[in-house]
Each structure stands twice: as C-alpha cells, then as structure tokens.
Coordinates of all heavy atoms in Angstrom, one line a residue:
M24 N -1.5 32.4 -17.2 CA -0.7 31.1 -16.9 C -0.6 30.3 -18.2 O -1.5 30.2 -19.0 CB -1.5 30.4 -15.8 CG -0.7 29.2 -15.4 SD -1.6 28.2 -14.1 CE -1.6 29.3 -12.7
D25 N 0.5 29.7 -18.4 CA 0.8 28.8 -19.5 C 0.0 27.5 -19.4 O 0.3 26.7 -18.5 CB 2.3 28.6 -19.6 CG 2.7 27.7 -20.8 OD1 1.8 27.2 -21.5 OD2 3.9 27.6 -21.1
P26 N -0.9 27.2 -20.3 CA -1.7 26.0 -20.2 C -0.9 24.7 -20.3 O -1.3 23.7 -19.8 CB -2.7 26.1 -21.3 CG -2.2 27.2 -22.3 CD -1.3 28.1 -21.5
N27 N 0.3 24.8 -21.0 CA 1.1 23.6 -21.1 C 1.7 23.2 -19.8 O 1.9 22.0 -19.5 CB 2.2 23.9 -22.1 CG 1.7 24.0 -23.5 OD1 0.7 23.4 -23.9 ND2 2.3 24.9 -24.3
V28 N 1.9 24.2 -18.9 CA 2.5 23.9 -17.6 C 1.4 23.1 -16.8 O 1.7 22.1 -16.1 CB 2.9 25.1 -16.8 CG1 3.3 24.8 -15.4 CG2 4.0 25.8 -17.6
Q29 N 0.1 23.5 -16.9 CA -0.9 22.8 -16.1 C -1.1 21.4 -16.6 O -1.4 20.5 -15.8 CB -2.3 23.5 -16.4 CG -2.4 24.7 -15.5 CD -3.8 25.3 -15.7 OE1 -4.3 25.4 -16.8 NE2 -4.4 25.7 -14.6
N30 N -0.8 21.1 -17.8 CA -1.1 19.7 -18.4 C 0.1 18.8 -18.1 O 0.0 17.6 -18.4 CB -1.4 19.8 -19.9 CG -2.7 20.4 -20.1 OD1 -3.6 20.4 -19.2 ND2 -2.9 21.0 -21.2
Q31 N 1.2 19.3 -17.7 CA 2.3 18.4 -17.4 C 2.1 17.7 -16.1 O 1.6 18.2 -15.1 CB 3.6 19.2 -17.2 CG 4.1 19.7 -18.6 CD 5.4 20.6 -18.4 OE1 5.7 21.0 -17.3 NE2 6.0 20.9 -19.5
Q32 N 2.4 16.4 -16.1 CA 2.2 15.5 -15.0 C 3.5 15.0 -14.5 O 4.3 14.5 -15.2 CB 1.3 14.4 -15.4 CG 0.7 13.7 -14.2 CD -0.4 12.7 -14.7 OE1 -0.1 12.0 -15.6 NE2 -1.5 12.6 -14.0
S33 N 3.8 15.3 -13.2 CA 5.1 14.8 -12.7 C 5.0 13.3 -12.4 O 3.9 12.8 -12.2 CB 5.4 15.6 -11.4 OG 4.6 15.1 -10.3
P34 N 6.1 12.6 -12.3 CA 6.0 11.2 -12.1 C 5.3 10.9 -10.7 O 4.7 9.8 -10.6 CB 7.5 10.8 -12.0 CG 8.3 11.9 -12.7 CD 7.4 13.1 -12.5
Q35 N 5.4 11.7 -9.7 CA 4.8 11.4 -8.4 C 3.3 11.5 -8.6 O 2.6 10.9 -7.8 CB 5.2 12.5 -7.4 CG 6.7 12.4 -7.0 CD 7.6 13.2 -7.8 OE1 7.2 13.8 -8.8 NE2 8.8 13.3 -7.4
Q36 N 2.8 12.2 -9.6 CA 1.3 12.3 -9.7 C 0.7 11.3 -10.7 O -0.5 11.2 -10.8 CB 0.9 13.7 -10.1 CG 1.3 14.7 -9.1 CD 1.1 16.2 -9.6 OE1 1.3 16.4 -10.8 NE2 0.7 17.1 -8.8
A37 N 1.6 10.5 -11.3 CA 1.1 9.5 -12.2 C 0.2 8.5 -11.5 O 0.4 8.1 -10.4 CB 2.3 8.8 -12.8
P38 N -1.0 8.2 -12.2 CA -1.9 7.2 -11.5 C -1.2 5.9 -11.3 O -0.4 5.4 -12.1 CB -3.0 7.1 -12.5 CG -2.5 7.7 -13.8 CD -1.4 8.6 -13.5
V39 N -1.6 5.3 -10.1 CA -1.1 4.0 -9.8 C -1.9 2.9 -10.5 O -3.1 2.9 -10.5 CB -1.2 3.7 -8.3 CG1 -0.7 2.3 -7.9 CG2 -0.4 4.8 -7.5
Q40 N -1.3 2.1 -11.3 CA -2.0 1.0 -12.0 C -2.4 -0.1 -11.1 O -1.6 -0.5 -10.2 CB -1.1 0.5 -13.1 CG -0.7 1.5 -14.2 CD -1.9 2.0 -14.9 OE1 -2.8 1.3 -15.3 NE2 -2.0 3.3 -15.0
P41 N -3.6 -0.6 -11.2 CA -4.0 -1.7 -10.4 C -3.3 -3.0 -10.8 O -3.0 -3.2 -11.9 CB -5.5 -1.8 -10.7 CG -5.8 -1.1 -12.0 CD -4.7 -0.1 -12.1
P42 N -2.9 -3.8 -9.8 CA -2.3 -5.1 -10.1 C -3.3 -6.0 -10.6 O -4.5 -5.8 -10.5 CB -1.8 -5.5 -8.7 CG -2.7 -4.9 -7.7 CD -3.1 -3.6 -8.3
A43 N -2.8 -7.1 -11.2 CA -3.7 -8.1 -11.8 C -4.6 -8.8 -10.7 O -5.7 -9.2 -11.0 CB -2.9 -9.1 -12.6
G44 N -4.0 -8.9 -9.5 CA -4.7 -9.6 -8.4 C -4.2 -9.2 -7.1 O -3.6 -8.2 -7.0
D45 N -4.3 -10.1 -6.1 CA -3.8 -9.8 -4.8 C -2.3 -10.2 -4.7 O -2.0 -11.3 -4.5 CB -4.6 -10.6 -3.7 CG -6.0 -10.2 -3.6 OD1 -6.4 -9.2 -4.2 OD2 -6.8 -10.9 -3.0
E46 N -1.5 -9.2 -5.0 CA 0.0 -9.5 -5.0 C 0.5 -9.4 -3.6 O 0.1 -8.7 -2.8 CB 0.7 -8.4 -5.8 CG 0.3 -8.3 -7.2 CD 1.1 -7.2 -7.9 OE1 1.3 -6.1 -7.3 OE2 1.5 -7.4 -9.1
E47 N 1.6 -10.2 -3.4 CA 2.4 -10.2 -2.1 C 3.6 -9.4 -2.5 O 4.4 -9.9 -3.4 CB 2.7 -11.6 -1.7 CG 1.8 -12.1 -0.7 CD 2.3 -13.5 -0.1 OE1 3.4 -13.9 -0.4 OE2 1.5 -14.0 0.7
I48 N 3.8 -8.3 -1.8 CA 5.0 -7.5 -2.1 C 5.9 -7.5 -0.8 O 5.4 -7.2 0.3 CB 4.6 -6.0 -2.5 CG1 3.6 -6.0 -3.6 CG2 5.9 -5.2 -2.7 CD1 4.2 -6.1 -5.0
Q49 N 7.2 -7.7 -1.0 CA 8.1 -7.6 0.1 C 8.6 -6.2 0.3 O 9.0 -5.5 -0.6 CB 9.3 -8.5 -0.1 CG 10.3 -8.4 1.0 CD 10.5 -9.7 1.7 OE1 10.1 -10.8 1.2 NE2 11.0 -9.7 2.9
V50 N 8.4 -5.7 1.6 CA 8.9 -4.3 1.9 C 9.6 -4.5 3.2 O 9.0 -4.9 4.3 CB 7.8 -3.3 2.1 CG1 8.3 -2.0 2.6 CG2 7.0 -3.1 0.8
G51 N 11.0 -4.4 3.2 CA 11.7 -4.6 4.4 C 11.6 -6.1 4.8 O 11.6 -7.0 4.0
K52 N 11.3 -6.3 6.1 CA 11.1 -7.7 6.6 C 9.7 -8.2 6.4 O 9.5 -9.4 6.7 CB 11.5 -7.8 8.1 CG 10.6 -7.1 9.0 CD 11.0 -7.4 10.5 CE 10.0 -6.8 11.5 NZ 10.3 -7.3 12.8
Y53 N 8.8 -7.4 5.9 CA 7.4 -7.8 5.8 C 7.1 -8.2 4.3 O 7.5 -7.5 3.4 CB 6.5 -6.7 6.3 CG 6.5 -6.5 7.8 CD1 6.2 -5.3 8.3 CD2 6.7 -7.6 8.6 CE1 6.2 -5.1 9.7 CE2 6.7 -7.4 10.0 CZ 6.4 -6.1 10.5 OH 6.4 -5.9 11.9
K54 N 6.2 -9.2 4.2 CA 5.5 -9.5 3.0 C 4.1 -8.9 3.2 O 3.5 -9.3 4.2 CB 5.5 -11.0 2.7 CG 6.0 -11.3 1.4 CD 5.8 -12.8 1.1 CE 7.2 -13.5 1.1 NZ 7.1 -14.9 1.0
I55 N 3.7 -8.1 2.3 CA 2.4 -7.4 2.5 C 1.4 -7.7 1.3 O 1.9 -7.7 0.2 CB 2.6 -5.9 2.5 CG1 3.7 -5.5 3.5 CG2 1.3 -5.2 2.8 CD1 4.2 -4.1 3.4
K56 N 0.2 -8.0 1.7 CA -0.8 -8.3 0.6 C -2.0 -7.5 1.0 O -2.5 -7.5 2.1 CB -1.1 -9.8 0.6 CG -2.2 -10.1 -0.5 CD -2.2 -11.6 -0.8 CE -3.0 -12.4 0.1 NZ -3.1 -13.8 -0.3
V57 N -2.6 -6.8 0.0 CA -3.9 -6.2 0.1 C -4.9 -7.1 -0.6 O -4.8 -7.4 -1.7 CB -3.9 -4.8 -0.5 CG1 -5.3 -4.2 -0.5 CG2 -2.9 -3.9 0.1
V58 N -5.9 -7.5 0.2 CA -7.0 -8.3 -0.3 C -8.0 -7.3 -1.0 O -8.7 -6.6 -0.3 CB -7.7 -9.1 0.8 CG1 -8.9 -9.9 0.2 CG2 -6.7 -10.0 1.5
R59 N -7.9 -7.3 -2.3 CA -8.6 -6.2 -3.0 C -10.1 -6.2 -2.8 O -10.7 -5.2 -2.8 CB -8.2 -6.2 -4.5 CG -6.7 -5.9 -4.7 CD -6.4 -5.9 -6.2 NE -7.1 -5.0 -7.0 CZ -6.8 -3.7 -7.1 NH1 -5.8 -3.2 -6.4 NH2 -7.5 -2.9 -8.0
D60 N -10.7 -7.4 -2.7 CA -12.1 -7.5 -2.5 C -12.5 -6.9 -1.2 O -13.7 -6.5 -1.0 CB -12.6 -9.0 -2.6 CG -12.6 -9.4 -4.1 OD1 -12.5 -8.6 -5.0 OD2 -12.8 -10.7 -4.3
A61 N -11.6 -6.9 -0.2 CA -11.9 -6.4 1.1 C -11.6 -4.9 1.3 O -12.1 -4.3 2.2 CB -11.2 -7.2 2.2
C62 N -10.8 -4.4 0.4 CA -10.4 -3.0 0.4 C -11.6 -2.1 0.0 O -12.1 -2.2 -1.1 CB -9.2 -2.7 -0.4 SG -8.7 -1.0 -0.5
I63 N -11.9 -1.1 0.9 CA -13.0 -0.2 0.6 C -12.5 1.2 0.2 O -13.3 2.2 0.2 CB -14.1 -0.1 1.7 CG1 -13.4 0.3 3.0 CG2 -14.8 -1.5 1.9 CD1 -14.3 0.6 4.2
G64 N -11.2 1.3 0.1 CA -10.6 2.6 -0.3 C -10.7 3.7 0.8 O -10.7 4.9 0.5
A65 N -10.7 3.2 2.1 CA -10.8 4.2 3.2 C -9.6 5.0 3.3 O -9.6 6.1 3.9 CB -11.1 3.4 4.5
A66 N -8.4 4.5 2.8 CA -7.2 5.2 2.7 C -6.5 5.5 4.1 O -5.6 6.3 4.1 CB -7.3 6.5 1.9
S67 N -6.9 4.9 5.1 CA -6.2 5.1 6.4 C -4.8 4.5 6.3 O -3.8 5.1 6.8 CB -6.9 4.5 7.6 OG -7.7 3.5 7.3
C68 N -4.6 3.4 5.5 CA -3.3 2.8 5.3 C -2.4 3.8 4.6 O -1.2 4.0 4.9 CB -3.3 1.5 4.6 SG -4.1 1.6 2.9
V69 N -2.9 4.5 3.6 CA -2.2 5.5 2.8 C -1.8 6.7 3.7 O -0.7 7.2 3.6 CB -3.1 6.0 1.7 CG1 -2.4 7.1 0.9 CG2 -3.5 4.8 0.8
A70 N -2.6 7.1 4.6 CA -2.3 8.2 5.5 C -1.2 7.8 6.5 O -0.4 8.7 6.9 CB -3.6 8.6 6.3
V71 N -1.2 6.6 7.0 CA -0.2 6.2 8.0 C 1.1 5.8 7.4 O 2.2 6.3 7.8 CB -0.8 5.0 8.8 CG1 0.3 4.5 9.8 CG2 -2.0 5.3 9.5
A72 N 1.2 5.0 6.4 CA 2.4 4.6 5.7 C 2.4 5.1 4.3 O 2.1 4.5 3.3 CB 2.5 3.0 5.7
T73 N 2.8 6.4 4.2 CA 2.7 7.1 3.0 C 3.5 6.6 1.8 O 3.2 6.8 0.7 CB 3.0 8.6 3.2 OG1 4.3 8.7 3.8 CG2 2.0 9.3 4.2
Q74 N 4.7 6.0 2.2 CA 5.5 5.4 1.1 C 5.0 4.0 0.6 O 5.4 3.6 -0.5 CB 6.9 5.3 1.5 CG 7.7 6.6 1.6 CD 9.1 6.4 2.0 OE1 9.7 5.4 1.5 NE2 9.7 7.3 2.7
T75 N 4.3 3.3 1.5 CA 4.1 1.9 1.3 C 2.8 1.7 0.6 O 2.7 0.8 -0.3 CB 4.0 1.2 2.6 OG1 5.3 1.4 3.3 CG2 3.9 -0.3 2.4
F76 N 1.7 2.5 0.9 CA 0.4 2.3 0.3 C 0.0 3.5 -0.6 O 0.2 4.7 -0.1 CB -0.6 2.0 1.3 CG -0.3 0.8 2.2 CD1 0.3 0.9 3.4 CD2 -0.6 -0.5 1.7 CE1 0.6 -0.2 4.2 CE2 -0.4 -1.6 2.4 CZ 0.3 -1.5 3.7
K77 N -0.5 3.2 -1.7 CA -1.1 4.3 -2.6 C -2.5 3.7 -3.1 O -2.6 2.5 -3.2 CB -0.3 4.5 -3.8 CG 1.2 5.0 -3.5 CD 1.3 6.5 -3.4 CE 2.7 6.9 -3.2 NZ 3.0 7.7 -2.0
L78 N -3.4 4.6 -3.4 CA -4.6 4.2 -4.0 C -4.5 4.1 -5.5 O -3.9 5.0 -6.1 CB -5.8 5.1 -3.6 CG -6.2 5.1 -2.2 CD1 -7.4 6.0 -2.0 CD2 -6.5 3.7 -1.7
D79 N -5.0 3.1 -6.1 CA -4.9 3.0 -7.6 C -6.1 3.7 -8.2 O -7.0 4.3 -7.4 CB -4.7 1.6 -8.1 CG -5.9 0.7 -7.8 OD1 -7.0 1.2 -7.5 OD2 -5.8 -0.6 -7.8
D80 N -6.3 3.6 -9.5 CA -7.4 4.3 -10.1 C -8.7 3.6 -9.9 O -9.8 4.1 -10.3 CB -7.1 4.6 -11.6 CG -6.9 3.3 -12.4 OD1 -7.1 2.2 -11.8 OD2 -6.4 3.4 -13.5
K81 N -8.7 2.5 -9.2 CA -10.0 1.9 -8.8 C -10.3 2.1 -7.3 O -11.1 1.5 -6.7 CB -9.9 0.4 -9.1 CG -9.7 0.0 -10.6 CD -10.2 -1.3 -10.9 CE -10.1 -1.7 -12.4 NZ -10.2 -0.6 -13.3
N82 N -9.5 3.0 -6.7 CA -9.6 3.4 -5.3 C -9.3 2.2 -4.3 O -9.9 2.0 -3.3 CB -11.0 3.9 -5.0 CG -10.9 5.2 -4.2 OD1 -9.9 5.9 -4.3 ND2 -12.0 5.6 -3.6
K83 N -8.4 1.3 -4.7 CA -8.0 0.2 -3.9 C -6.5 0.5 -3.6 O -5.7 1.0 -4.4 CB -8.1 -1.1 -4.7 CG -9.4 -1.4 -5.2 CD -10.3 -2.1 -4.2 CE -11.6 -2.5 -4.8 NZ -12.5 -3.2 -3.9
A84 N -6.1 0.0 -2.4 CA -4.7 0.2 -1.9 C -3.8 -0.8 -2.7 O -4.1 -1.9 -2.9 CB -4.6 -0.1 -0.4
V85 N -2.6 -0.2 -3.1 CA -1.6 -1.0 -3.8 C -0.3 -0.8 -3.0 O 0.0 0.3 -2.6 CB -1.4 -0.4 -5.2 CG1 -0.3 -1.2 -5.9 CG2 -2.7 -0.6 -6.0
V86 N 0.5 -1.9 -2.8 CA 1.7 -1.8 -2.1 C 2.8 -1.3 -3.0 O 2.9 -1.8 -4.1 CB 2.1 -3.2 -1.5 CG1 3.4 -3.1 -0.7 CG2 0.9 -3.7 -0.6
Q87 N 3.6 -0.4 -2.5 CA 4.7 0.2 -3.4 C 6.0 -0.5 -3.0 O 6.5 -0.4 -1.9 CB 4.8 1.7 -3.1 CG 3.5 2.5 -3.3 CD 3.1 2.4 -4.8 OE1 3.8 3.0 -5.6 NE2 2.0 1.7 -5.1
Q88 N 6.6 -1.1 -4.0 CA 7.9 -1.7 -3.8 C 9.0 -0.6 -3.5 O 8.8 0.5 -4.0 CB 8.3 -2.4 -5.1 CG 8.8 -3.8 -4.8 CD 8.4 -4.8 -5.9 OE1 8.1 -4.4 -7.0 NE2 8.5 -6.0 -5.6
G89 N 9.9 -0.9 -2.7 CA 11.0 0.0 -2.4 C 10.7 1.1 -1.4 O 11.5 2.0 -1.2
S90 N 9.6 0.9 -0.7 CA 9.2 1.8 0.4 C 10.3 1.8 1.5 O 10.8 0.7 1.8 CB 7.9 1.4 1.0 OG 7.7 2.0 2.2
Q91 N 10.5 2.9 2.1 CA 11.5 3.0 3.2 C 10.7 3.2 4.5 O 11.4 3.5 5.5 CB 12.4 4.2 3.0 CG 13.3 4.1 1.7 CD 14.3 2.9 1.8 OE1 15.0 2.7 2.8 NE2 14.3 2.2 0.7
D92 N 9.4 3.0 4.5 CA 8.7 3.2 5.8 C 9.2 2.1 6.8 O 9.4 1.0 6.4 CB 7.2 2.9 5.6 CG 6.5 4.1 4.9 OD1 6.9 5.2 5.2 OD2 5.5 3.9 4.2
P93 N 9.3 2.5 8.1 CA 9.8 1.5 9.1 C 8.7 0.4 9.2 O 7.5 0.7 9.0 CB 9.9 2.4 10.4 CG 9.9 3.8 9.9 CD 9.2 3.9 8.6
A94 N 9.2 -0.7 9.7 CA 8.3 -1.9 9.9 C 7.1 -1.6 10.8 O 6.0 -1.9 10.5 CB 9.1 -3.1 10.4
E95 N 7.4 -0.8 11.9 CA 6.3 -0.5 12.8 C 5.2 0.4 12.2 O 4.1 0.2 12.5 CB 6.9 0.3 14.0 CG 8.1 -0.3 14.7 CD 9.4 0.0 14.0 OE1 9.7 1.2 13.8 OE2 10.1 -0.9 13.6
T96 N 5.7 1.3 11.3 CA 4.7 2.1 10.6 C 3.8 1.3 9.6 O 2.6 1.5 9.6 CB 5.5 3.2 9.8 OG1 6.3 3.9 10.7 CG2 4.5 4.1 9.0
I97 N 4.4 0.3 9.0 CA 3.7 -0.5 8.0 C 2.6 -1.3 8.8 O 1.5 -1.5 8.5 CB 4.6 -1.4 7.2 CG1 5.5 -0.6 6.3 CG2 3.9 -2.5 6.5 CD1 6.6 -1.3 5.6
L98 N 3.1 -1.8 10.0 CA 2.2 -2.6 10.8 C 1.0 -1.8 11.3 O -0.1 -2.2 11.3 CB 3.0 -3.3 12.0 CG 2.2 -4.3 12.8 CD1 1.6 -5.4 12.0 CD2 3.1 -4.8 13.9
M99 N 1.4 -0.5 11.8 CA 0.3 0.4 12.2 C -0.7 0.7 11.1 O -1.9 0.8 11.3 CB 0.9 1.7 12.7 CG 1.2 1.8 14.2 SD 1.4 3.4 14.7 CE 2.8 4.0 13.8
A100 N -0.2 0.8 9.9 CA -1.1 1.1 8.7 C -2.0 -0.1 8.5 O -3.2 0.1 8.3 CB -0.2 1.3 7.5
A101 N -1.5 -1.3 8.6 CA -2.3 -2.5 8.4 C -3.4 -2.5 9.5 O -4.5 -2.8 9.3 CB -1.5 -3.7 8.4
Q102 N -3.0 -2.2 10.7 CA -3.9 -2.2 11.9 C -5.0 -1.1 11.8 O -6.0 -1.3 12.4 CB -3.1 -2.1 13.2 CG -2.3 -3.4 13.5 CD -1.3 -3.2 14.6 OE1 -0.9 -2.1 14.9 NE2 -0.8 -4.3 15.1
S103 N -4.7 -0.1 11.0 CA -5.6 1.0 10.9 C -6.7 0.7 9.9 O -7.7 1.4 9.8 CB -4.9 2.3 10.4 OG -4.6 2.2 9.1
C104 N -6.6 -0.4 9.1 CA -7.5 -0.7 8.1 C -8.8 -1.2 8.7 O -8.8 -2.2 9.4 CB -6.9 -1.8 7.1 SG -8.1 -2.3 5.9
P105 N -9.9 -0.6 8.4 CA -11.2 -0.9 9.0 C -11.8 -2.3 8.6 O -12.6 -2.9 9.3 CB -12.2 0.2 8.6 CG -11.6 0.8 7.3 CD -10.1 0.6 7.5
T106 N -11.3 -2.8 7.5 CA -11.8 -4.1 7.0 C -10.7 -5.2 7.1 O -11.0 -6.3 6.6 CB -12.3 -4.0 5.5 OG1 -11.1 -3.7 4.7 CG2 -13.3 -2.9 5.4
K107 N -9.6 -4.9 7.7 CA -8.5 -5.9 7.9 C -8.1 -6.5 6.5 O -8.0 -7.7 6.3 CB -8.9 -7.0 8.8 CG -9.1 -6.5 10.3 CD -9.2 -7.6 11.3 CE -9.3 -7.0 12.7 NZ -9.7 -8.0 13.7
A108 N -8.1 -5.6 5.5 CA -7.8 -6.0 4.1 C -6.3 -6.2 3.9 O -5.9 -6.7 2.9 CB -8.3 -5.0 3.2
I109 N -5.4 -5.8 4.9 CA -4.0 -5.9 4.7 C -3.4 -7.0 5.5 O -3.6 -7.0 6.8 CB -3.3 -4.5 5.1 CG1 -3.9 -3.4 4.3 CG2 -1.8 -4.6 4.9 CD1 -3.4 -2.0 4.8
I110 N -2.8 -7.9 4.9 CA -2.2 -9.1 5.5 C -0.6 -8.8 5.6 O 0.0 -8.5 4.6 CB -2.5 -10.4 4.8 CG1 -4.0 -10.6 4.8 CG2 -1.7 -11.6 5.3 CD1 -4.5 -11.7 3.9
V111 N -0.1 -9.0 6.8 CA 1.4 -8.8 7.0 C 2.0 -10.0 7.5 O 1.6 -10.6 8.5 CB 1.6 -7.6 8.0 CG1 3.1 -7.3 8.1 CG2 0.9 -6.3 7.5
I112 N 3.0 -10.5 6.8 CA 3.8 -11.7 7.2 C 5.2 -11.3 7.4 O 5.9 -10.6 6.6 CB 3.7 -12.8 6.1 CG1 2.3 -13.2 6.0 CG2 4.7 -13.9 6.4 CD1 2.0 -14.0 4.7
D113 N 5.7 -11.6 8.6 CA 7.1 -11.4 9.0 C 8.0 -12.5 8.3 O 7.9 -13.6 8.7 CB 7.3 -11.4 10.5 CG 8.7 -10.9 10.9 OD1 9.6 -11.2 10.2 OD2 8.8 -10.4 12.0
T114 N 8.8 -12.1 7.4 CA 9.6 -13.1 6.7 C 10.8 -13.6 7.5 O 11.3 -14.7 7.2 CB 10.2 -12.5 5.4 OG1 11.0 -11.4 5.7 CG2 9.1 -12.1 4.4
E115 N 11.1 -12.9 8.6 CA 12.2 -13.5 9.5 C 11.6 -14.6 10.3 O 12.4 -15.6 10.6 CB 12.7 -12.3 10.4 CG 13.5 -11.3 9.6 CD 13.8 -10.1 10.5 OE1 13.5 -10.0 11.7 OE2 14.5 -9.2 9.9
T116 N 10.4 -14.6 10.7 CA 9.8 -15.6 11.6 C 8.8 -16.5 10.8 O 8.4 -17.5 11.3 CB 9.0 -15.0 12.7 OG1 8.0 -14.2 12.2 CG2 10.0 -14.2 13.6
N117 N 8.5 -16.1 9.6 CA 7.5 -16.7 8.7 C 6.1 -16.8 9.4 O 5.3 -17.7 9.1 CB 8.0 -18.1 8.3 CG 7.7 -18.5 6.9 OD1 7.4 -17.5 6.1 ND2 7.7 -19.7 6.6
Q118 N 5.8 -15.8 10.2 CA 4.6 -15.7 10.9 C 3.7 -14.6 10.4 O 4.3 -13.5 10.0 CB 4.8 -15.5 12.4 CG 5.6 -16.5 13.2 CD 4.8 -17.8 13.3 OE1 3.6 -17.8 13.8 NE2 5.4 -18.9 13.0
Q119 N 2.4 -14.8 10.3 CA 1.5 -13.7 10.0 C 1.4 -12.9 11.2 O 0.9 -13.4 12.2 CB 0.2 -14.3 9.5 CG -0.8 -13.2 9.1 CD -2.1 -13.7 8.5 OE1 -2.0 -14.6 7.6 NE2 -3.2 -13.3 9.0
V120 N 1.7 -11.6 11.1 CA 1.7 -10.7 12.3 C 0.4 -9.9 12.3 O 0.0 -9.4 13.3 CB 2.9 -9.8 12.4 CG1 4.1 -10.6 12.7 CG2 3.1 -9.0 11.2
W121 N -0.3 -9.8 11.1 CA -1.6 -9.1 11.1 C -2.4 -9.6 9.9 O -1.8 -9.7 8.8 CB -1.4 -7.6 11.0 CG -2.7 -6.9 11.2 CD1 -3.5 -6.3 10.2 CD2 -3.4 -6.7 12.4 NE1 -4.6 -5.8 10.8 CE2 -4.6 -6.0 12.1 CE3 -3.1 -7.0 13.7 CZ2 -5.5 -5.7 13.1 CZ3 -4.0 -6.6 14.7 CH2 -5.2 -5.9 14.4
P122 N -3.7 -9.8 10.0 CA -4.4 -9.9 11.3 C -3.9 -11.0 12.2 O -3.6 -12.1 11.6 CB -5.9 -10.1 10.9 CG -5.9 -9.8 9.4 CD -4.6 -10.0 8.9
S123 N -3.9 -10.8 13.5 CA -3.3 -11.8 14.4 C -4.4 -12.7 14.9 O -5.6 -12.4 14.8 CB -2.5 -11.2 15.5 OG -3.3 -10.3 16.2
Ligands
LIG224 S1 -7.1 1.1 5.0 FE1 -7.8 -0.9 4.2 S2 -9.7 -0.4 3.1 FE2 -8.6 1.5 3.4 S3 -7.4 1.7 1.5 FE3 -6.1 0.7 3.0 S4 -6.4 -1.5 2.6 FE4 -8.1 -0.4 1.6

C-alpha cells in the first residue's frame, strides 16, 4: 500500500477546532449554544444530529454552521444530552425551547 495515501486527510476528517468560548450558532430557526463546561463528550448529540454537532479535539461538542438537519432532529439531539449542555432558542418566538 502506498504510505502517502494513508497520510492524506480528507476535509471531512479534519479535526474540529474548539471555539474560544460558548458560541451561539444559528442553524435554521434555532440558535444553539453548547455550554462547554457542562459537556462531558458523551456524543449523543453527535449521533442524533450528525450534521449539527461534532466533537472537537478536546472532546466537546461544537455546533456546525450550515447544517441541514431538521429542527426536530436538532431538538431531539439537545434533549438526548445527559447534562443538558445544549441550549436551544427558537428565533421565531424568541423562546428558549430547551432546556424547558
Ligand atoms: S450530548 Fe451533551 S455532553 Fe454529550 S457531546 Fe453533546 S453536548 Fe456534550
């Protein structure tokens, strides 16, 4: 096997850089924030909303801009978090929908 092929990294596999702090990112109608101190890297959010959440190199969830996950999927992902580290605000109503 060509060793150069093994060392090539596709853009999808590039490590996710940690944000400077608890960022609020808009995805569809929701503004989403991961409280990094509360995130234990359980990755249930990543499993449920695969486009919206990724783990960074510190094993904390990071919200991905431009996700096409449906709003219900994002909400389910937030609800799956064992530490309620994901805050979801509906920008149409300006209400926090999770944690409720
Ligand atoms: S489910 Fe919660 S604790 Fe687990 S990675 Fe996502 S935000 Fe972090």
Side-chain angles (χ1 to χ4, degrees):
M24 184 183 293
D25 182 349
N27 291 328
V28 172
Q29 280 185 318
N30 291 335
Q31 286 177 349
Q32 198 172 40
S33 74
Q35 290 90 355
Q36 294 171 326
V39 177
Q40 294 301 313
D45 295 346
E46 294 180 325
E47 266 188 1
I48 304 278
Q49 177 115 21
V50 177
K52 69 174 184 172
Y53 288 150
K54 235 186 247 175
I55 308 164
K56 180 162 85 175
V57 176
V58 179
R59 291 180 63 80
D60 284 348
C62 176
I63 58 171
S67 26
C68 60
V69 177
V71 175
T73 54
Q74 287 186 32
T75 306
F76 299 98
K77 303 271 184 234
L78 291 185
D79 65 19
D80 57 11
K81 301 202 176 331
N82 230 22
K83 305 273 185 182
V85 176
V86 182
Q87 302 296 291
Q88 230 145 15
S90 160
Q91 299 295 311
D92 283 330
E95 311 79 59
T96 302
I97 294 170
L98 188 54
M99 265 196 301
Q102 290 168 338
S103 77
C104 176
T106 63
K107 296 189 176 170
I109 302 171
I110 296 169
V111 181
I112 294 166
D113 186 331
T114 58
E115 292 172 359
T116 61
N117 221 16
Q118 298 290 310
Q119 181 172 313
V120 291
W121 190 260
S123 53

